PDB file of all heavy atoms in Angstrom:
ATOM      1  N   ARG A 262       4.957   7.903   9.185  1.00  0.00           N
ATOM      2  CA  ARG A 262       5.642   6.611   9.036  1.00  0.00           C
ATOM      3  C   ARG A 262       4.896   5.725   8.046  1.00  0.00           C
ATOM      4  O   ARG A 262       5.515   5.060   7.205  1.00  0.00           O
ATOM      5  CB  ARG A 262       5.782   5.928  10.394  1.00  0.00           C
ATOM      6  CG  ARG A 262       6.790   6.604  11.321  1.00  0.00           C
ATOM      7  CD  ARG A 262       7.081   5.766  12.556  1.00  0.00           C
ATOM      8  NE  ARG A 262       5.904   5.478  13.377  1.00  0.00           N
ATOM      9  CZ  ARG A 262       5.461   6.257  14.367  1.00  0.00           C
ATOM     10  NH1 ARG A 262       6.101   7.383  14.671  1.00  0.00           N
ATOM     11  NH2 ARG A 262       4.401   5.915  15.069  1.00  0.00           N
ATOM     12  N   ILE A 263       3.569   5.701   8.145  1.00  0.00           N
ATOM     13  CA  ILE A 263       2.764   4.902   7.208  1.00  0.00           C
ATOM     14  C   ILE A 263       2.914   5.473   5.794  1.00  0.00           C
ATOM     15  O   ILE A 263       3.091   4.735   4.824  1.00  0.00           O
ATOM     16  CB  ILE A 263       1.282   4.854   7.642  1.00  0.00           C
ATOM     17  CG1 ILE A 263       1.142   4.203   9.026  1.00  0.00           C
ATOM     18  CG2 ILE A 263       0.428   4.155   6.594  1.00  0.00           C
ATOM     19  CD1 ILE A 263       1.580   2.754   9.093  1.00  0.00           C
ATOM     20  N   HIS A 264       2.844   6.801   5.670  1.00  0.00           N
ATOM     21  CA  HIS A 264       3.037   7.471   4.382  1.00  0.00           C
ATOM     22  C   HIS A 264       4.371   7.056   3.756  1.00  0.00           C
ATOM     23  O   HIS A 264       4.440   6.666   2.588  1.00  0.00           O
ATOM     24  CB  HIS A 264       2.981   8.988   4.597  1.00  0.00           C
ATOM     25  CG  HIS A 264       3.165   9.799   3.367  1.00  0.00           C
ATOM     26  ND1 HIS A 264       4.397  10.044   2.810  1.00  0.00           N
ATOM     27  CD2 HIS A 264       2.258  10.430   2.573  1.00  0.00           C
ATOM     28  CE1 HIS A 264       4.264  10.786   1.730  1.00  0.00           C
ATOM     29  NE2 HIS A 264       2.968  11.035   1.564  1.00  0.00           N
ATOM     30  N   ASP A 265       5.442   7.116   4.545  1.00  0.00           N
ATOM     31  CA  ASP A 265       6.763   6.741   4.053  1.00  0.00           C
ATOM     32  C   ASP A 265       6.817   5.267   3.664  1.00  0.00           C
ATOM     33  O   ASP A 265       7.469   4.891   2.683  1.00  0.00           O
ATOM     34  CB  ASP A 265       7.833   7.044   5.104  1.00  0.00           C
ATOM     35  CG  ASP A 265       8.008   8.537   5.342  1.00  0.00           C
ATOM     36  OD1 ASP A 265       7.490   9.354   4.546  1.00  0.00           O
ATOM     37  OD2 ASP A 265       8.655   8.894   6.362  1.00  0.00           O
ATOM     38  N   GLY A 266       6.115   4.425   4.441  1.00  0.00           N
ATOM     39  CA  GLY A 266       6.058   3.004   4.109  1.00  0.00           C
ATOM     40  C   GLY A 266       5.368   2.755   2.783  1.00  0.00           C
ATOM     41  O   GLY A 266       5.796   1.916   1.988  1.00  0.00           O
ATOM     42  N   ILE A 267       4.298   3.499   2.529  1.00  0.00           N
ATOM     43  CA  ILE A 267       3.571   3.345   1.258  1.00  0.00           C
ATOM     44  C   ILE A 267       4.445   3.801   0.099  1.00  0.00           C
ATOM     45  O   ILE A 267       4.611   3.080  -0.889  1.00  0.00           O
ATOM     46  CB  ILE A 267       2.242   4.126   1.286  1.00  0.00           C
ATOM     47  CG1 ILE A 267       1.289   3.525   2.319  1.00  0.00           C
ATOM     48  CG2 ILE A 267       1.588   4.134  -0.104  1.00  0.00           C
ATOM     49  CD1 ILE A 267       0.085   4.399   2.636  1.00  0.00           C
ATOM     50  N   THR A 268       5.025   5.007   0.220  1.00  0.00           N
ATOM     51  CA  THR A 268       5.835   5.510  -0.893  1.00  0.00           C
ATOM     52  C   THR A 268       7.080   4.658  -1.105  1.00  0.00           C
ATOM     53  O   THR A 268       7.542   4.514  -2.234  1.00  0.00           O
ATOM     54  CB  THR A 268       6.222   6.994  -0.701  1.00  0.00           C
ATOM     55  OG1 THR A 268       6.925   7.139   0.527  1.00  0.00           O
ATOM     56  CG2 THR A 268       4.990   7.880  -0.714  1.00  0.00           C
ATOM     57  N   GLY A 269       7.600   4.064  -0.052  1.00  0.00           N
ATOM     58  CA  GLY A 269       8.755   3.180  -0.188  1.00  0.00           C
ATOM     59  C   GLY A 269       8.451   1.875  -0.899  1.00  0.00           C
ATOM     60  O   GLY A 269       9.347   1.240  -1.446  1.00  0.00           O
ATOM     61  N   ARG A 270       7.188   1.492  -0.889  1.00  0.00           N
ATOM     62  CA  ARG A 270       6.786   0.227  -1.526  1.00  0.00           C
ATOM     63  C   ARG A 270       5.788   0.466  -2.662  1.00  0.00           C
ATOM     64  O   ARG A 270       5.099  -0.458  -3.091  1.00  0.00           O
ATOM     65  CB  ARG A 270       6.186  -0.697  -0.472  1.00  0.00           C
ATOM     66  CG  ARG A 270       7.218  -1.155   0.556  1.00  0.00           C
ATOM     67  CD  ARG A 270       6.623  -2.054   1.616  1.00  0.00           C
ATOM     68  NE  ARG A 270       5.907  -3.192   1.051  1.00  0.00           N
ATOM     69  CZ  ARG A 270       4.992  -3.908   1.733  1.00  0.00           C
ATOM     70  NH1 ARG A 270       4.729  -3.600   2.985  1.00  0.00           N
ATOM     71  NH2 ARG A 270       4.382  -4.919   1.161  1.00  0.00           N
ATOM     72  N   ILE A 271       5.728   1.697  -3.166  1.00  0.00           N
ATOM     73  CA  ILE A 271       4.734   2.045  -4.177  1.00  0.00           C
ATOM     74  C   ILE A 271       4.890   1.194  -5.444  1.00  0.00           C
ATOM     75  O   ILE A 271       3.914   0.895  -6.121  1.00  0.00           O
ATOM     76  CB  ILE A 271       4.785   3.562  -4.505  1.00  0.00           C
ATOM     77  CG1 ILE A 271       3.497   4.027  -5.187  1.00  0.00           C
ATOM     78  CG2 ILE A 271       5.991   3.912  -5.345  1.00  0.00           C
ATOM     79  CD1 ILE A 271       2.385   4.303  -4.251  1.00  0.00           C
ATOM     80  N   GLY A 272       6.117   0.787  -5.735  1.00  0.00           N
ATOM     81  CA  GLY A 272       6.349  -0.058  -6.911  1.00  0.00           C
ATOM     82  C   GLY A 272       5.570  -1.360  -6.859  1.00  0.00           C
ATOM     83  O   GLY A 272       5.136  -1.876  -7.893  1.00  0.00           O
ATOM     84  N   GLU A 273       5.371  -1.894  -5.653  1.00  0.00           N
ATOM     85  CA  GLU A 273       4.574  -3.119  -5.504  1.00  0.00           C
ATOM     86  C   GLU A 273       3.131  -2.869  -5.917  1.00  0.00           C
ATOM     87  O   GLU A 273       2.510  -3.707  -6.569  1.00  0.00           O
ATOM     88  CB  GLU A 273       4.626  -3.623  -4.060  1.00  0.00           C
ATOM     89  CG  GLU A 273       5.989  -4.114  -3.623  1.00  0.00           C
ATOM     90  CD  GLU A 273       5.999  -4.499  -2.148  1.00  0.00           C
ATOM     91  OE1 GLU A 273       5.089  -5.237  -1.717  1.00  0.00           O
ATOM     92  OE2 GLU A 273       6.922  -4.048  -1.440  1.00  0.00           O
ATOM     93  N   LEU A 274       2.600  -1.702  -5.517  1.00  0.00           N
ATOM     94  CA  LEU A 274       1.227  -1.365  -5.911  1.00  0.00           C
ATOM     95  C   LEU A 274       1.123  -1.226  -7.422  1.00  0.00           C
ATOM     96  O   LEU A 274       0.208  -1.755  -8.051  1.00  0.00           O
ATOM     97  CB  LEU A 274       0.768  -0.076  -5.223  1.00  0.00           C
ATOM     98  CG  LEU A 274       0.461  -0.177  -3.740  1.00  0.00           C
ATOM     99  CD1 LEU A 274       0.228   1.211  -3.145  1.00  0.00           C
ATOM    100  CD2 LEU A 274      -0.741  -1.068  -3.491  1.00  0.00           C
ATOM    101  N   TYR A 275       2.078  -0.498  -8.013  1.00  0.00           N
ATOM    102  CA  TYR A 275       2.062  -0.318  -9.473  1.00  0.00           C
ATOM    103  C   TYR A 275       2.176  -1.663 -10.186  1.00  0.00           C
ATOM    104  O   TYR A 275       1.506  -1.901 -11.186  1.00  0.00           O
ATOM    105  CB  TYR A 275       3.194   0.603  -9.921  1.00  0.00           C
ATOM    106  CG  TYR A 275       3.053   2.046  -9.512  1.00  0.00           C
ATOM    107  CD1 TYR A 275       4.175   2.801  -9.202  1.00  0.00           C
ATOM    108  CD2 TYR A 275       1.810   2.674  -9.431  1.00  0.00           C
ATOM    109  CE1 TYR A 275       4.071   4.139  -8.836  1.00  0.00           C
ATOM    110  CE2 TYR A 275       1.693   3.996  -9.051  1.00  0.00           C
ATOM    111  CZ  TYR A 275       2.825   4.722  -8.764  1.00  0.00           C
ATOM    112  OH  TYR A 275       2.713   6.035  -8.402  1.00  0.00           O
ATOM    113  N   GLY A 276       3.033  -2.534  -9.669  1.00  0.00           N
ATOM    114  CA  GLY A 276       3.195  -3.861 -10.275  1.00  0.00           C
ATOM    115  C   GLY A 276       1.899  -4.657 -10.245  1.00  0.00           C
ATOM    116  O   GLY A 276       1.537  -5.310 -11.229  1.00  0.00           O
ATOM    117  N   GLN A 277       1.186  -4.604  -9.118  1.00  0.00           N
ATOM    118  CA  GLN A 277      -0.095  -5.311  -9.027  1.00  0.00           C
ATOM    119  C   GLN A 277      -1.123  -4.692  -9.970  1.00  0.00           C
ATOM    120  O   GLN A 277      -1.902  -5.408 -10.611  1.00  0.00           O
ATOM    121  CB  GLN A 277      -0.615  -5.284  -7.591  1.00  0.00           C
ATOM    122  CG  GLN A 277       0.187  -6.142  -6.626  1.00  0.00           C
ATOM    123  CD  GLN A 277      -0.344  -6.027  -5.210  1.00  0.00           C
ATOM    124  OE1 GLN A 277      -1.553  -5.891  -4.983  1.00  0.00           O
ATOM    125  NE2 GLN A 277       0.558  -6.107  -4.234  1.00  0.00           N
ATOM    126  N   LEU A 278      -1.126  -3.343 -10.062  1.00  0.00           N
ATOM    127  CA  LEU A 278      -2.104  -2.667 -10.923  1.00  0.00           C
ATOM    128  C   LEU A 278      -1.839  -2.910 -12.407  1.00  0.00           C
ATOM    129  O   LEU A 278      -2.734  -2.749 -13.231  1.00  0.00           O
ATOM    130  CB  LEU A 278      -2.133  -1.167 -10.639  1.00  0.00           C
ATOM    131  CG  LEU A 278      -2.780  -0.766  -9.324  1.00  0.00           C
ATOM    132  CD1 LEU A 278      -2.605   0.724  -9.073  1.00  0.00           C
ATOM    133  CD2 LEU A 278      -4.260  -1.143  -9.305  1.00  0.00           C
ATOM    134  N   ALA A 279      -0.627  -3.298 -12.747  1.00  0.00           N
ATOM    135  CA  ALA A 279      -0.328  -3.618 -14.143  1.00  0.00           C
ATOM    136  C   ALA A 279      -1.063  -4.884 -14.576  1.00  0.00           C
ATOM    137  O   ALA A 279      -1.356  -5.062 -15.762  1.00  0.00           O
ATOM    138  CB  ALA A 279       1.176  -3.788 -14.340  1.00  0.00           C
ATOM    139  N   ALA A 280      -1.396  -5.739 -13.614  1.00  0.00           N
ATOM    140  CA  ALA A 280      -2.034  -7.011 -13.941  1.00  0.00           C
ATOM    141  C   ALA A 280      -3.473  -7.128 -13.448  1.00  0.00           C
ATOM    142  O   ALA A 280      -4.170  -8.065 -13.815  1.00  0.00           O
ATOM    143  CB  ALA A 280      -1.210  -8.157 -13.338  1.00  0.00           C
ATOM    144  N   ALA A 281      -3.920  -6.198 -12.606  1.00  0.00           N
ATOM    145  CA  ALA A 281      -5.261  -6.304 -12.028  1.00  0.00           C
ATOM    146  C   ALA A 281      -5.840  -4.907 -11.810  1.00  0.00           C
ATOM    147  O   ALA A 281      -5.116  -3.915 -11.839  1.00  0.00           O
ATOM    148  CB  ALA A 281      -5.192  -7.054 -10.689  1.00  0.00           C
ATOM    149  N   ASP A 282      -7.131  -4.860 -11.583  1.00  0.00           N
ATOM    150  CA  ASP A 282      -7.805  -3.578 -11.364  1.00  0.00           C
ATOM    151  C   ASP A 282      -7.594  -3.029  -9.956  1.00  0.00           C
ATOM    152  O   ASP A 282      -7.813  -1.842  -9.717  1.00  0.00           O
ATOM    153  CB  ASP A 282      -9.313  -3.716 -11.610  1.00  0.00           C
ATOM    154  CG  ASP A 282      -9.639  -3.931 -13.072  1.00  0.00           C
ATOM    155  OD1 ASP A 282      -8.823  -3.536 -13.933  1.00  0.00           O
ATOM    156  OD2 ASP A 282     -10.707  -4.490 -13.362  1.00  0.00           O
ATOM    157  N   ASN A 283      -7.190  -3.890  -9.017  1.00  0.00           N
ATOM    158  CA  ASN A 283      -7.009  -3.485  -7.627  1.00  0.00           C
ATOM    159  C   ASN A 283      -5.683  -4.020  -7.105  1.00  0.00           C
ATOM    160  O   ASN A 283      -5.207  -5.061  -7.546  1.00  0.00           O
ATOM    161  CB  ASN A 283      -8.141  -4.040  -6.750  1.00  0.00           C
ATOM    162  CG  ASN A 283      -9.478  -3.463  -7.137  1.00  0.00           C
ATOM    163  OD1 ASN A 283      -9.734  -2.296  -6.888  1.00  0.00           O
ATOM    164  ND2 ASN A 283     -10.329  -4.266  -7.777  1.00  0.00           N
ATOM    165  N   ALA A 284      -5.120  -3.294  -6.144  1.00  0.00           N
ATOM    166  CA  ALA A 284      -3.860  -3.710  -5.533  1.00  0.00           C
ATOM    167  C   ALA A 284      -3.937  -3.451  -4.035  1.00  0.00           C
ATOM    168  O   ALA A 284      -4.643  -2.549  -3.591  1.00  0.00           O
ATOM    169  CB  ALA A 284      -2.704  -2.924  -6.146  1.00  0.00           C
ATOM    170  N   VAL A 285      -3.187  -4.237  -3.279  1.00  0.00           N
ATOM    171  CA  VAL A 285      -3.123  -4.014  -1.829  1.00  0.00           C
ATOM    172  C   VAL A 285      -1.764  -4.468  -1.317  1.00  0.00           C
ATOM    173  O   VAL A 285      -1.231  -5.494  -1.738  1.00  0.00           O
ATOM    174  CB  VAL A 285      -4.267  -4.730  -1.073  1.00  0.00           C
ATOM    175  CG1 VAL A 285      -4.182  -6.236  -1.209  1.00  0.00           C
ATOM    176  CG2 VAL A 285      -4.302  -4.313   0.383  1.00  0.00           C
ATOM    177  N   ILE A 286      -1.191  -3.640  -0.462  1.00  0.00           N
ATOM    178  CA  ILE A 286      -0.025  -4.029   0.328  1.00  0.00           C
ATOM    179  C   ILE A 286      -0.345  -3.671   1.770  1.00  0.00           C
ATOM    180  O   ILE A 286      -1.214  -2.848   2.031  1.00  0.00           O
ATOM    181  CB  ILE A 286       1.283  -3.319  -0.129  1.00  0.00           C
ATOM    182  CG1 ILE A 286       1.137  -1.795  -0.060  1.00  0.00           C
ATOM    183  CG2 ILE A 286       1.710  -3.792  -1.509  1.00  0.00           C
ATOM    184  CD1 ILE A 286       2.418  -1.034  -0.346  1.00  0.00           C
ATOM    185  N   ARG A 287       0.312  -4.307   2.693  1.00  0.00           N
ATOM    186  CA  ARG A 287       0.082  -4.015   4.102  1.00  0.00           C
ATOM    187  C   ARG A 287       1.334  -3.334   4.653  1.00  0.00           C
ATOM    188  O   ARG A 287       2.433  -3.849   4.517  1.00  0.00           O
ATOM    189  CB  ARG A 287      -0.237  -5.292   4.859  1.00  0.00           C
ATOM    190  CG  ARG A 287      -1.499  -5.951   4.317  1.00  0.00           C
ATOM    191  CD  ARG A 287      -2.109  -6.936   5.279  1.00  0.00           C
ATOM    192  NE  ARG A 287      -3.311  -7.520   4.713  1.00  0.00           N
ATOM    193  CZ  ARG A 287      -4.492  -6.913   4.637  1.00  0.00           C
ATOM    194  NH1 ARG A 287      -4.629  -5.700   5.102  1.00  0.00           N
ATOM    195  NH2 ARG A 287      -5.533  -7.519   4.112  1.00  0.00           N
ATOM    196  N   ILE A 288       1.111  -2.191   5.265  1.00  0.00           N
ATOM    197  CA  ILE A 288       2.209  -1.400   5.827  1.00  0.00           C
ATOM    198  C   ILE A 288       2.124  -1.496   7.338  1.00  0.00           C
ATOM    199  O   ILE A 288       1.096  -1.168   7.940  1.00  0.00           O
ATOM    200  CB  ILE A 288       2.105   0.081   5.391  1.00  0.00           C
ATOM    201  CG1 ILE A 288       2.038   0.206   3.874  1.00  0.00           C
ATOM    202  CG2 ILE A 288       3.252   0.886   5.978  1.00  0.00           C
ATOM    203  CD1 ILE A 288       3.249  -0.293   3.143  1.00  0.00           C
ATOM    204  N   GLU A 289       3.216  -1.928   7.964  1.00  0.00           N
ATOM    205  CA  GLU A 289       3.241  -2.033   9.423  1.00  0.00           C
ATOM    206  C   GLU A 289       4.027  -0.859  10.001  1.00  0.00           C
ATOM    207  O   GLU A 289       5.118  -0.539   9.539  1.00  0.00           O
ATOM    208  CB  GLU A 289       3.884  -3.342   9.869  1.00  0.00           C
ATOM    209  CG  GLU A 289       3.834  -3.513  11.372  1.00  0.00           C
ATOM    210  CD  GLU A 289       4.359  -4.849  11.845  1.00  0.00           C
ATOM    211  OE1 GLU A 289       4.457  -5.779  11.035  1.00  0.00           O
ATOM    212  OE2 GLU A 289       4.667  -4.948  13.041  1.00  0.00           O
ATOM    213  N   ASP A 290       3.434  -0.223  10.988  1.00  0.00           N
ATOM    214  CA  ASP A 290       4.123   0.838  11.737  1.00  0.00           C
ATOM    215  C   ASP A 290       5.010   0.148  12.753  1.00  0.00           C
ATOM    216  O   ASP A 290       4.513  -0.527  13.664  1.00  0.00           O
ATOM    217  CB  ASP A 290       3.111   1.751  12.417  1.00  0.00           C
ATOM    218  CG  ASP A 290       3.780   2.811  13.274  1.00  0.00           C
ATOM    219  OD1 ASP A 290       4.978   3.095  13.046  1.00  0.00           O
ATOM    220  OD2 ASP A 290       3.110   3.365  14.157  1.00  0.00           O
ATOM    221  N   PRO A 291       6.319   0.288  12.636  1.00  0.00           N
ATOM    222  CA  PRO A 291       7.222  -0.434  13.531  1.00  0.00           C
ATOM    223  C   PRO A 291       7.104  -0.018  15.004  1.00  0.00           C
ATOM    224  O   PRO A 291       7.382  -0.829  15.882  1.00  0.00           O
ATOM    225  CB  PRO A 291       8.618  -0.106  12.989  1.00  0.00           C
ATOM    226  CG  PRO A 291       8.449   1.119  12.171  1.00  0.00           C
ATOM    227  CD  PRO A 291       7.034   1.124  11.684  1.00  0.00           C
ATOM    228  N   LEU A 292       6.658   1.194  15.265  1.00  0.00           N
ATOM    229  CA  LEU A 292       6.569   1.642  16.665  1.00  0.00           C
ATOM    230  C   LEU A 292       5.311   1.132  17.355  1.00  0.00           C
ATOM    231  O   LEU A 292       5.363   0.688  18.499  1.00  0.00           O
ATOM    232  CB  LEU A 292       6.634   3.165  16.754  1.00  0.00           C
ATOM    233  CG  LEU A 292       7.965   3.791  16.314  1.00  0.00           C
ATOM    234  CD1 LEU A 292       7.922   5.303  16.463  1.00  0.00           C
ATOM    235  CD2 LEU A 292       9.117   3.216  17.128  1.00  0.00           C
ATOM    236  N   SER A 293       4.178   1.188  16.670  1.00  0.00           N
ATOM    237  CA  SER A 293       2.921   0.782  17.311  1.00  0.00           C
ATOM    238  C   SER A 293       2.547  -0.662  16.991  1.00  0.00           C
ATOM    239  O   SER A 293       1.706  -1.236  17.661  1.00  0.00           O
ATOM    240  CB  SER A 293       1.782   1.710  16.863  1.00  0.00           C
ATOM    241  OG  SER A 293       1.486   1.492  15.491  1.00  0.00           O
ATOM    242  N   GLY A 294       3.153  -1.224  15.943  1.00  0.00           N
ATOM    243  CA  GLY A 294       2.793  -2.578  15.532  1.00  0.00           C
ATOM    244  C   GLY A 294       1.507  -2.627  14.718  1.00  0.00           C
ATOM    245  O   GLY A 294       1.068  -3.688  14.304  1.00  0.00           O
ATOM    246  N   THR A 295       0.888  -1.478  14.488  1.00  0.00           N
ATOM    247  CA  THR A 295      -0.345  -1.390  13.704  1.00  0.00           C
ATOM    248  C   THR A 295      -0.049  -1.684  12.239  1.00  0.00           C
ATOM    249  O   THR A 295       0.959  -1.240  11.696  1.00  0.00           O
ATOM    250  CB  THR A 295      -0.947   0.039  13.797  1.00  0.00           C
ATOM    251  OG1 THR A 295      -1.095   0.378  15.167  1.00  0.00           O
ATOM    252  CG2 THR A 295      -2.266   0.131  13.073  1.00  0.00           C
ATOM    253  N   THR A 296      -0.939  -2.439  11.607  1.00  0.00           N
ATOM    254  CA  THR A 296      -0.822  -2.701  10.181  1.00  0.00           C
ATOM    255  C   THR A 296      -1.951  -1.986   9.457  1.00  0.00           C
ATOM    256  O   THR A 296      -3.116  -2.090   9.856  1.00  0.00           O
ATOM    257  CB  THR A 296      -0.896  -4.220   9.888  1.00  0.00           C
ATOM    258  OG1 THR A 296       0.183  -4.861  10.583  1.00  0.00           O
ATOM    259  CG2 THR A 296      -0.790  -4.508   8.405  1.00  0.00           C
ATOM    260  N   VAL A 297      -1.598  -1.264   8.416  1.00  0.00           N
ATOM    261  CA  VAL A 297      -2.568  -0.498   7.629  1.00  0.00           C
ATOM    262  C   VAL A 297      -2.599  -1.071   6.223  1.00  0.00           C
ATOM    263  O   VAL A 297      -1.548  -1.189   5.582  1.00  0.00           O
ATOM    264  CB  VAL A 297      -2.183   1.000   7.585  1.00  0.00           C
ATOM    265  CG1 VAL A 297      -3.117   1.778   6.673  1.00  0.00           C
ATOM    266  CG2 VAL A 297      -2.172   1.580   8.986  1.00  0.00           C
ATOM    267  N   PRO A 298      -3.796  -1.430   5.739  1.00  0.00           N
ATOM    268  CA  PRO A 298      -3.866  -1.907   4.357  1.00  0.00           C
ATOM    269  C   PRO A 298      -3.830  -0.713   3.390  1.00  0.00           C
ATOM    270  O   PRO A 298      -4.587   0.233   3.545  1.00  0.00           O
ATOM    271  CB  PRO A 298      -5.215  -2.620   4.293  1.00  0.00           C
ATOM    272  CG  PRO A 298      -6.041  -1.953   5.352  1.00  0.00           C
ATOM    273  CD  PRO A 298      -5.077  -1.509   6.414  1.00  0.00           C
ATOM    274  N   ALA A 299      -2.922  -0.761   2.448  1.00  0.00           N
ATOM    275  CA  ALA A 299      -2.859   0.269   1.405  1.00  0.00           C
ATOM    276  C   ALA A 299      -3.525  -0.321   0.173  1.00  0.00           C
ATOM    277  O   ALA A 299      -2.911  -1.070  -0.573  1.00  0.00           O
ATOM    278  CB  ALA A 299      -1.415   0.661   1.131  1.00  0.00           C
ATOM    279  N   ARG A 300      -4.813   0.002   0.022  1.00  0.00           N
ATOM    280  CA  ARG A 300      -5.593  -0.503  -1.109  1.00  0.00           C
ATOM    281  C   ARG A 300      -5.714   0.604  -2.140  1.00  0.00           C
ATOM    282  O   ARG A 300      -6.078   1.732  -1.807  1.00  0.00           O
ATOM    283  CB  ARG A 300      -6.987  -0.904  -0.657  1.00  0.00           C
ATOM    284  CG  ARG A 300      -7.039  -2.149   0.154  1.00  0.00           C
ATOM    285  CD  ARG A 300      -8.499  -2.571   0.413  1.00  0.00           C
ATOM    286  NE  ARG A 300      -8.535  -3.852   1.070  1.00  0.00           N
ATOM    287  CZ  ARG A 300      -8.442  -4.016   2.381  1.00  0.00           C
ATOM    288  NH1 ARG A 300      -8.314  -2.975   3.175  1.00  0.00           N
ATOM    289  NH2 ARG A 300      -8.474  -5.225   2.907  1.00  0.00           N
ATOM    290  N   VAL A 301      -5.430   0.267  -3.393  1.00  0.00           N
ATOM    291  CA  VAL A 301      -5.522   1.234  -4.483  1.00  0.00           C
ATOM    292  C   VAL A 301      -6.090   0.521  -5.703  1.00  0.00           C
ATOM    293  O   VAL A 301      -5.709  -0.612  -5.999  1.00  0.00           O
ATOM    294  CB  VAL A 301      -4.133   1.824  -4.830  1.00  0.00           C
ATOM    295  CG1 VAL A 301      -4.221   2.812  -5.973  1.00  0.00           C
ATOM    296  CG2 VAL A 301      -3.506   2.477  -3.623  1.00  0.00           C
ATOM    297  N   SER A 302      -6.988   1.202  -6.385  1.00  0.00           N
ATOM    298  CA  SER A 302      -7.533   0.657  -7.630  1.00  0.00           C
ATOM    299  C   SER A 302      -7.113   1.548  -8.791  1.00  0.00           C
ATOM    300  O   SER A 302      -6.669   2.679  -8.602  1.00  0.00           O
ATOM    301  CB  SER A 302      -9.068   0.593  -7.560  1.00  0.00           C
ATOM    302  OG  SER A 302      -9.602   1.910  -7.557  1.00  0.00           O
ATOM    303  N   ARG A 303      -7.274   1.029  -9.985  1.00  0.00           N
ATOM    304  CA  ARG A 303      -7.010   1.853 -11.167  1.00  0.00           C
ATOM    305  C   ARG A 303      -7.934   3.075 -11.166  1.00  0.00           C
ATOM    306  O   ARG A 303      -7.532   4.166 -11.544  1.00  0.00           O
ATOM    307  CB  ARG A 303      -7.212   1.039 -12.435  1.00  0.00           C
ATOM    308  CG  ARG A 303      -6.149  -0.018 -12.643  1.00  0.00           C
ATOM    309  CD  ARG A 303      -6.387  -0.797 -13.899  1.00  0.00           C
ATOM    310  NE  ARG A 303      -5.385  -1.842 -14.067  1.00  0.00           N
ATOM    311  CZ  ARG A 303      -5.416  -2.742 -15.002  1.00  0.00           C
ATOM    312  NH1 ARG A 303      -6.400  -2.745 -15.892  1.00  0.00           N
ATOM    313  NH2 ARG A 303      -4.475  -3.659 -15.092  1.00  0.00           N
ATOM    314  N   GLU A 304      -9.142   2.869 -10.704  1.00  0.00           N
ATOM    315  CA  GLU A 304     -10.103   3.983 -10.603  1.00  0.00           C
ATOM    316  C   GLU A 304      -9.595   5.040  -9.616  1.00  0.00           C
ATOM    317  O   GLU A 304      -9.721   6.242  -9.861  1.00  0.00           O
ATOM    318  CB  GLU A 304     -11.463   3.447 -10.169  1.00  0.00           C
ATOM    319  CG  GLU A 304     -12.557   4.485 -10.173  1.00  0.00           C
ATOM    320  CD  GLU A 304     -13.896   3.863  -9.804  1.00  0.00           C
ATOM    321  OE1 GLU A 304     -14.381   3.006 -10.576  1.00  0.00           O
ATOM    322  OE2 GLU A 304     -14.440   4.252  -8.757  1.00  0.00           O
ATOM    323  N   ASP A 305      -9.007   4.589  -8.494  1.00  0.00           N
ATOM    324  CA  ASP A 305      -8.434   5.542  -7.526  1.00  0.00           C
ATOM    325  C   ASP A 305      -7.337   6.389  -8.191  1.00  0.00           C
ATOM    326  O   ASP A 305      -7.292   7.599  -7.981  1.00  0.00           O
ATOM    327  CB  ASP A 305      -7.833   4.801  -6.328  1.00  0.00           C
ATOM    328  CG  ASP A 305      -8.853   4.133  -5.445  1.00  0.00           C
ATOM    329  OD1 ASP A 305     -10.000   4.614  -5.372  1.00  0.00           O
ATOM    330  OD2 ASP A 305      -8.501   3.108  -4.821  1.00  0.00           O
TER     331      ASP A 305
END
């Protein structure tokens, strides 16, 4: 579910990386309520 959430919002990460060296979005698992930070850098 988290994987699907990241790939579904990957454009947001790419958009942030176009302007900065690091990007982050928060993905919430609707069943558990857990939020996972998806942090990605240009180096990553």
Side-chain angles (χ1 to χ4, degrees):
R262 289 190 301 271
I263 299 297
H264 180 281
D265 293 347
I267 294 167
T268 58
R270 293 179 53 199
I271 199 82
E273 293 176 49
L274 287 171
Y275 291 146
Q277 290 178 35
L278 288 173
D282 290 336
N283 296 289
V285 64
I286 58 174
R287 299 199 179 283
I288 305 297
E289 184 175 342
D290 176 21
L292 295 181
S293 69
T295 306
T296 300
V297 175
R300 288 187 174 86
V301 179
S302 68
R303 290 180 182 174
E304 186 177 296
D305 291 331

